[in-house]
Amino acid sequence: MGLKIFLSYAREDRAQVENHYEQLLAEHFEPWMDFKKILPGQNWEYKIDRSLNEANVIIALLSKNSISKRSFVQREANFALDRLKHKLPTNIYFIPVLLEPCEV
């Protein structure tokens, strides 16, 4: 099993984030992206929460879209920051990535 990586992003950035997903997959990581992993009819909120809890790393893909929304992308970032408090200072757990210049 590879490193489990949760990709947090705004839905409007999906096409760009999908490229990152494919790159991580090619490098033998286990990326998680909602539209790739949630089947029709599944409880999407439960699946997102479960995947956040199981992730070894959370990558927040930041854009003007993601920082201006009040949605799951904010909830995911807050979850990651809260969890970060319980990690060792040397742990790599939360990785913010700018998809475009934006004020965070």
Side-chain angles (χ1 to χ4, degrees):
M1 282 235 203
L3 191 68
K4 292 181 180 181
I5 301 173
F6 185 95
L7 299 176
S8 178
Y9 66 99
R11 190 159 303 282
E12 295 85 355
D13 300 323
R14 184 173 114 176
Q16 193 175 2
V17 174
E18 191 172 4
N19 291 331
H20 292 283
Y21 175 92
E22 296 299 335
Q23 271 186 310
L24 290 166
L25 204 55
E27 294 294 328
H28 307 289
F29 292 107
E30 288 184 42
W32 193 93
M33 198 173 172
D34 58 354
F35 94 99
K36 294 273 191 183
K37 300 290 186 172
I38 299 175
L39 300 173
Q42 282 188 312
N43 182 332
W44 57 271
E45 192 170 349
Y46 169 78
K47 291 291 285 182
I48 290 171
D49 288 344
R50 181 175 171 195
S51 297
L52 275 168
N53 279 308
E54 292 176 353
N56 302 111
V57 174
I58 296 173
I59 297 178
L61 295 128
L62 305 172
S63 68
K64 292 174 186 170
N65 294 320
S66 67
I67 63 166
S68 64
K69 290 182 86 167
R70 292 193 184 270
S71 64
F72 259 76
V73 73
Q74 297 295 329
R75 181 177 167 202
E76 293 159 3
N78 287 331
F79 174 90
L81 291 171
D82 186 54
R83 271 281 177 88
L84 190 58
K85 295 174 193 172
H86 306 287
K87 303 287 182 185
L88 294 173
T90 55
N91 290 152
I92 298 172
Y93 176 69
F94 181 66
I95 304 171
V97 175
L98 290 178
L99 293 177
E100 64 183 354
C102 58
E103 192 172 325
V104 180

